[in-house]
């Protein structure tokens, strides 16, 4: 490979949240941190070079967003996903979760019902409840092989009376790449019941083993007309610390109202580094991404092979996208708090805590596989040793 994803990068001294904040969540920083969803790989060299060149200018004043910025976002979407978003309906966001919160606060009222599908990334429920909206949950269905699907009958029943549906596409943590048919069915249910859609597509570039992402707004013109899409280079290129996302609205009026609110809060500008990093990622980062996807797919196979041969008590899924592995740990026979404590104190590994993801999360763990294979092997070996020494 041209890029070295096996390199061990010491992040313990670069103010990485996954290291420094582990004590807040797990009571110690002395763990292998596989909980927060960012990568332990250096980003694409072309992005580093672009940031260095910008830093060498030595002036870090207010930054003007060139039209090339959103043109790069749109060009990437067209090339990778076959979707042609309208640059005139794009707006900057400091992050996907803040943009979802703003959409809810601006275009719904307190008490409005908001539909989500659990288990799912926990800020989905947070943004609903923290804005005084009513949370409605349609649980995903899981078969005996660990494969998740939409319970469409329940989804339609729950959609009645809802104002928005927040879709995770592809899904975190279960790793599903929703098919065009699944998206169309969800979208048409929303249309029937007057429900608008927020589609979180932040993981949409992280397709594993040849899977193909479908943007919800590309399914049909009718569904596009009720869909607001959230995208970002942060997961794809490990740029979360630069805080740059894009929100694609379904109308110019919505976009203008949102931008006006950003200006009122004085957060409408990119910082100088996120501007050049985003443009560079979307114009020259594809070669690095393609190699990353191969490495991530191999990491997922390594996890499944390791558990099958040496740690059968843990049953990892086969994610179609993301770098997150959803592991069924129920065979260990522990309640959730005991399981969390066991992983930290006995194995020295910090993993995502299943109940945080809501209904269907009990007994499960989320493992971030975006790390060098040596780190992954060390973490799994420590888990193996802890399980077999009980």
């Amino acid at each position: 490979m041209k890029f070295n994803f096996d390199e061990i990068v010491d992040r313990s001294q670069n103010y990485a949240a996954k290291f420094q904040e582990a004590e807040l969540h797990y009571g110690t920083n002395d763990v292998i941190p596989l909980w927060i969803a960012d990568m332990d790989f250096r980003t694409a060299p072309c992005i580093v070079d672009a940031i260095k060149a910008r830093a060498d200018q030595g002036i870090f004043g207010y930054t003007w967003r060139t039209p090339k910025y959103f043109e790069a976002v749109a060009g990437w979407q067209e090339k990778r996903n076959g979707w042609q978003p309208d640059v005139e309906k794009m707006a900057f966001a400091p992050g996907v979760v803040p943009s979802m919160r703003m959409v809810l606060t601006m275009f719904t009222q307190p008490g409005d019902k908001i539909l989500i599908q659990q288990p799912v990334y926990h800020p989905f429920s947070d943004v609903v409840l923290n804005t005084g909206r009513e949370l409605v949950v349609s649980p995903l269905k899981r078969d005996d092989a660990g494969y998740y699907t939409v319970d469409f009958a329940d989804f339609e029943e729950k959609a009645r009376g809802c104002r928005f549906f927040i879709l995770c596409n592809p899904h975190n943590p279960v790793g599903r790449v929703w098919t065009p048919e699944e998206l169309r069915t969800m979208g048409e249910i929303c249309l029937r019941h007057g429900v608008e859609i927020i589609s979180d597509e932040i993981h949409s570039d992280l397709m594993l083993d040849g899977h193909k992402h479908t943007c919800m707004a590309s399914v049909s013109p009718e569904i596009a007309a009720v869909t607001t899409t959230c995208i970002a280079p942060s997961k794809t290129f490990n740029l979360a610390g630069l805080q740059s996302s894009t929100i694609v609205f379904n109308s110019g009026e919505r976009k203008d109202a949102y931008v006006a609110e950003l200006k009122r809060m004085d957060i409408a500008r990119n910082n100088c580094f996120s501007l050049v990093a985003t443009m560079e990622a979307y114009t020259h980062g594809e070669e690095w991404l393609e190699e990353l996807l191969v490495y991530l797919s191999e990491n997922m196979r390594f996890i499944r092979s390791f558990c099958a041969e040496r740690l059968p008590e843990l049953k990892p899924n086969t994610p179609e996208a993301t770098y997150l592995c959803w592991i069924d740990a129920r065979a260990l026979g522990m309640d959730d708090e005991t399981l969390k404590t066991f992983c930290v104190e006995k194995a020295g590994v910090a993993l995502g805590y299943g109940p945080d993801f809501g209904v269907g999360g009990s007994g499960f763990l989320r493992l971030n596989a975006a790390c060098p294979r040596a780190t992954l092997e060390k973490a799994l070996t420590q888990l193996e040793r802890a399980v077999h020494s009980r």
Side-chain angles (χ1 to χ4, degrees):
M1 296 181 100
K2 180 177 178 179
F3 306 103
N4 183 15
F5 297 105
D6 285 322
E7 178 189 9
I8 303 292
V9 180
D10 182 7
R11 298 188 63 195
S12 64
Q13 301 304 312
N14 76 344
Y15 308 106
K18 69 196 310 177
F19 284 90
Q20 304 303 326
E21 295 179 13
E23 186 166 6
L24 297 175
H25 298 274
Y26 300 94
T28 178
N29 290 335
D30 187 22
V31 287
I32 300 175
L34 302 180
W35 58 294
I36 283 183
D38 67 7
M39 297 190 280
D40 289 336
F41 308 127
R42 297 185 192 274
T43 192
C46 64
I47 299 173
V48 176
D49 291 343
I51 292 173
K52 286 180 177 179
R54 179 65 185 85
D56 285 344
Q57 295 175 15
I59 298 175
F60 311 110
Y62 295 116
T63 299
W64 172 73
R65 187 180 304 111
T66 168
K68 294 180 181 179
Y69 180 88
F70 286 134
E71 290 169 5
V73 176
W76 178 267
Q77 287 296 321
E78 182 175 6
K79 182 177 184 180
R80 299 289 298 186
N81 300 320
W83 178 43
Q84 296 177 296
D86 185 351
V87 296
E88 296 301 319
K89 295 178 182 176
M90 290 183 176
F92 168 78
V96 165
V97 174
S99 67
M100 290 194 296
R101 181 186 176 93
M102 286 186 65
V103 168
L104 292 185
T105 56
M106 292 182 67
F107 305 118
T108 69
Q109 298 297 320
D112 281 351
K113 294 181 178 180
I114 311 298
L115 176 64
I116 67 173
Q117 297 166 304
Q118 289 181 339
V120 75
Y121 183 47
H122 61 85
F124 279 31
S125 58
D126 292 344
V127 297
V128 174
L129 297 173
N130 292 341
T131 55
R133 277 61 180 170
E134 181 179 339
L135 183 67
V136 179
V137 176
S138 179
L140 296 173
K141 294 193 297 185
R142 181 182 183 275
D143 66 17
D144 292 338
Y147 189 75
Y148 286 82
T149 54
V150 179
D151 183 339
F152 288 113
D154 183 77
F155 184 86
E156 179 145 26
E157 179 62 30
K158 299 290 179 58
R160 301 175 193 274
C162 286
R163 185 70 183 83
F164 269 92
F165 162 50
I166 306 178
L167 168 68
C168 199
N169 178 35
H171 195 279
N172 167 15
V174 308
R176 274 300 317 277
V177 174
W178 303 118
T179 66
E181 293 74 22
E182 287 172 314
L183 292 171
R184 182 178 295 276
T185 301
M186 286 187 279
E188 290 180 346
I189 289 171
C190 289
L191 287 171
R192 280 198 294 275
H193 299 288
V195 181
E196 292 193 58
I197 301 166
I198 300 173
S199 187
D200 174 3
E201 305 192 6
I202 196 171
H203 291 278
S204 60
D205 296 321
L206 298 170
M207 296 290 108
L208 305 180
D209 298 316
H211 283 90
K212 176 68 175 174
H213 174 70
T214 301
C215 304
M216 177 58 104
S218 73
V219 173
S220 75
E222 295 78 14
I223 293 172
V226 298
T227 299
T228 298
T229 305
C230 301
I231 48 181
S234 52
K235 301 300 181 186
T236 311
F237 295 100
N238 209 24
L239 302 177
L242 293 183
Q243 296 180 307
S244 174
S245 302
T246 298
I247 183 166
V248 187
F249 284 92
N250 50 8
S251 76
E253 293 78 13
R254 283 271 180 94
K255 177 251 184 149
D256 290 344
Y258 168 86
V259 170
E261 185 64 17
L262 283 184
K263 289 179 178 178
R264 279 192 286 272
M265 293 188 289
D266 200 21
I267 56 171
R269 298 180 187 274
N270 288 77
N271 69 59
C272 59
F273 297 117
S274 71
L275 184 86
V276 297
T278 298
M279 291 191 295
E280 187 67 25
Y282 286 147
T283 52
H284 299 116
E286 190 169 41
E287 181 184 17
W288 181 90
L289 174 60
E290 289 300 331
E291 287 199 8
L292 169 71
L293 296 178
V294 172
Y295 194 90
L296 292 177
S297 295
E298 291 173 351
N299 269 4
M300 293 300 181
R301 283 189 283 275
F302 176 79
I303 294 169
R304 293 193 296 275
S305 175
F306 187 103
C307 289
E309 296 173 10
R310 298 168 55 178
L311 195 50
E313 295 88 349
L314 300 185
K315 297 176 175 58
N317 73 335
T318 303
E320 299 168 339
T322 82
Y323 46 69
L324 305 167
C325 187
W326 188 235
I327 299 174
D328 183 353
R330 291 176 294 179
L332 292 174
M334 301 179 188
D335 63 59
D336 290 309
E337 282 297 330
T338 302
L339 178 61
K340 180 180 180 180
T341 301
F342 174 83
C343 290
V344 172
E345 296 184 358
K346 302 298 183 181
V349 180
L351 302 172
Y353 181 49
D356 288 344
F357 300 89
V359 177
S362 181
F364 286 78
L365 300 164
R366 192 190 74 172
L367 183 150
N368 177 355
C371 59
R373 198 151 307 131
T375 301
L376 200 56
E377 183 173 15
K378 182 180 180 183
L380 291 172
T381 299
Q382 289 179 195
L383 282 165
E384 174 195 24
R385 188 180 302 118
V387 168
H388 294 165
S389 64
R390 286 187 300 164

